[in-house]
Amino acid sequence: MKLTLRVWRQKNAGAEGAMSTYEVDGISSDMSFLEMLDVLNERLILAGEDPVAFDHDCREGICGACSLVINGDAHGPERTTTCQLHMRSFQDGDTIDIEPWRASAFPVIKDLVVDRSAFDRIIQAGGYVTAPTGSAPEAHATPVPKADADFAFEHAECIGCGACVAACPNGAAMLFTSAKVNHLNVLPQGAPERETRVLDMVAQMDAEGFGGCTLTGECATACPKGIPLVSITGMNKEWLRAARKVGKR
Ligand code: FES
């Protein structure tokens, strides 16, 4: 395949960015999108040019590091992570626009890499349990109803990639935060911090400058792990319950 890539280039957080155009050929339809970018970077390095900076780690769809807006869609045209997107989703001769996540709470560090430490600070505000975990306990030591276990597992699938924020016209982080809140709040192990968790995580989310949710639903559409929009409703219920019980943060 021969492709025209229009890539966002930005030297650093303070610099002006712009789209740069590159031609790449010899791209196999079996390559992943990141492997295609590796080909581009090898050619840029051989030509003595600065390679394109982009985030990645596992390249298996589990770490949440990869983060590209491809032709206007977070993670591109398939419902998956950028690292699991393959070039068979494109046609020979295509022009592909590649941009970083766009949100004021995710400032660009360089090229396609953004600073997602705001998510880390939301987790630090309450996305944990204080119960000593020690070694793996016997599976039936703390009974968890099957429906609750399934609910927790569904929300635990969030990999914190930030596609929900990038897709949202408000730059809201409600889907991410709700996944983390709901995952722990439904489990007995998460019960001691049930109220403080939701209040503190939502307060931190607001402090980081993420926008408010208007139930547009783009977040759930872009989520590569299928976290449902009702997750946000669940978090709102948890927040109201907690605010009534212990007062707002
Ligand atoms: S690189 Fe880990 S999810 Fe894509």
Side-chain angles (χ1 to χ4, degrees):
M1 298 166 77
K2 184 173 181 188
L3 301 164
T4 301
L5 306 178
R6 296 183 350 118
V7 183
W8 183 260
R9 302 302 311 260
Q10 184 172 336
K11 275 196 185 316
N12 54 53
E16 289 259 315
M19 299 297 267
S20 293
T21 303
Y22 305 97
E23 305 285 338
V24 285
D25 57 13
I27 301 299
S28 160
S29 59
D30 292 330
M31 282 181 180
S32 73
F33 199 85
L34 298 187
E35 286 169 337
M36 182 276 293
L37 287 179
D38 291 339
V39 170
L40 169 66
N41 275 346
E42 281 168 11
R43 291 178 190 174
L44 289 175
I45 291 166
L46 286 174
E49 295 179 40
D50 191 23
V52 177
F54 61 91
D55 251 341
H56 60 97
D57 188 359
C58 70
R59 296 199 178 203
E60 292 181 344
I62 54 175
C63 76
C66 57
S67 49
L68 301 178
V69 173
I70 301 163
N71 286 344
D73 291 323
H75 290 306
E78 311 289 343
R79 192 169 187 177
T80 187
T81 55
T82 299
C83 62
Q84 293 298 295
L85 177 67
H86 286 80
M87 297 314 296
R88 66 182 76 99
S89 298
F90 300 89
Q91 303 288 324
D92 182 37
D94 273 359
T95 296
I96 305 175
D97 288 349
I98 310 170
E99 299 170 83
W101 280 174
R102 301 281 189 198
S104 56
F106 287 162
V108 172
I109 296 172
K110 182 177 180 183
D111 295 337
L112 304 171
V113 178
V114 300
D115 179 356
R116 283 175 288 177
S117 58
F119 270 14
D120 297 334
R121 291 187 289 275
I122 293 173
I123 294 294
Q124 285 165 2
Y128 51 80
V129 294
T130 54
T133 49
S135 57
E138 205 284 318
H140 297 297
T142 306
V144 179
K146 177 74 166 76
D148 290 351
D150 288 348
F151 182 86
F153 193 80
E154 182 181 25
H155 290 88
E157 284 191 64
C158 169
I159 55 175
C161 63
C164 48
V165 176
C168 176
N170 307 329
M174 293 284 276
L175 197 71
F176 163 77
T177 309
S178 65
K180 301 305 177 187
V181 165
N182 291 332
H183 163 208
L184 295 176
N185 271 24
V186 74
L187 294 172
Q189 293 89 340
E193 303 86 22
R194 182 174 173 184
E195 289 82 21
T196 54
R197 174 177 301 113
V198 65
L199 294 173
D200 290 345
M201 290 179 79
V202 169
Q204 188 64 39
M205 179 186 78
D206 290 341
E208 295 292 346
F210 291 105
C213 175
T214 48
L215 287 178
T216 308
E218 290 290 333
C219 54
T221 304
C223 176
K225 299 299 172 183
I227 305 297
L229 194 59
V230 291
S231 179
I232 294 174
T233 318
M235 180 175 76
N236 287 344
K237 281 185 192 162
E238 284 292 308
W239 190 91
L240 283 169
R241 178 187 168 279
R244 272 203 305 267
K245 191 167 173 187
V246 302
K248 281 193 215 173
R249 286 292 205 254

